[in-house]
Amino acid sequence: MLRALLYILPLALTIYAFIDCLNTPEDETKHLPKVAWVFIILLFWIVGPIVWLAAGKLRRAPAGGGAPSPFSRGSRDRRSEWVAPDDNPEFLKSLREENQKDESLLEDWEADLRRREEELRKKDGDEQQDGGEGGSGKS
């Protein structure tokens, strides 16, 4: 059992590092081009994967915050981390702006409705006055 572990563990580590290297974008690899890292991982069976995991790519800061590791360089060039909508100030700002637009549109609709109701009342009042005078003159 122990002998099998001596072969399975480095093989699993090599497979993991190989897949991790292939999935890493070219601009996030450090020190060497991505193709060179693939060759190092595959040719140097135990040392290659360990070196890749230790120094081969930029590591991102934890999602919960915290400082980046001292080994990561170029943290300004990294893509921004995903943030929950209720913690994202840009998303909250867009919601406020959208809410203000909706409120102003609603106010415009209400003002238009009041204006139309007033026009209908005036029109009904004019018709009643005209209808009342015309009816009394004919009788």
Side-chain angles (χ1 to χ4, degrees):
M1 180 69 177
L2 190 57
R3 286 185 194 176
L5 245 164
L6 289 175
Y7 292 105
I8 293 174
L9 192 61
L11 181 65
L13 181 65
T14 303
I15 291 171
Y16 175 77
F18 179 68
I19 292 172
D20 187 41
C21 182
L22 290 179
N23 287 331
T24 301
E26 184 74 37
D27 60 335
E28 290 185 14
T29 57
K30 294 188 335 185
H31 308 296
L32 294 171
K34 190 172 170 179
V35 175
W37 279 113
V38 168
F39 284 123
I40 289 172
I41 291 169
L42 293 177
L43 291 176
F44 302 103
W45 206 47
I46 296 174
V47 177
I50 292 173
V51 172
W52 164 255
L53 293 173
K57 77 175 198 175
L58 295 173
R59 303 291 175 191
R60 296 183 181 220
S69 70
F71 300 109
S72 68
R73 317 179 277 157
S75 60
R76 282 177 258 136
D77 297 335
R78 292 182 306 171
R79 290 181 233 140
S80 61
E81 294 289 326
W82 184 83
V83 179
D86 57 343
D87 293 335
N88 187 344
E90 293 174 11
F91 178 72
L92 295 174
K93 182 181 175 186
S94 70
L95 284 180
R96 279 192 290 273
E97 290 172 354
E98 196 172 314
N99 191 21
Q100 288 174 352
K101 288 178 186 175
D102 290 344
E103 285 180 4
S104 66
L105 184 64
L106 181 63
E107 288 174 2
D108 292 343
W109 285 350
E110 287 176 345
D112 187 48
L113 181 64
R114 281 189 217 104
R115 181 185 55 80
R116 289 181 180 193
E117 287 175 345
E118 279 297 318
E119 288 176 1
L120 285 175
R121 283 189 197 120
K122 287 180 182 177
K123 191 176 182 181
D124 286 344
D126 289 344
E127 286 179 2
Q128 285 179 359
Q129 287 177 359
D130 290 342
E133 292 173 1
S136 62
K138 289 181 182 178
S139 305

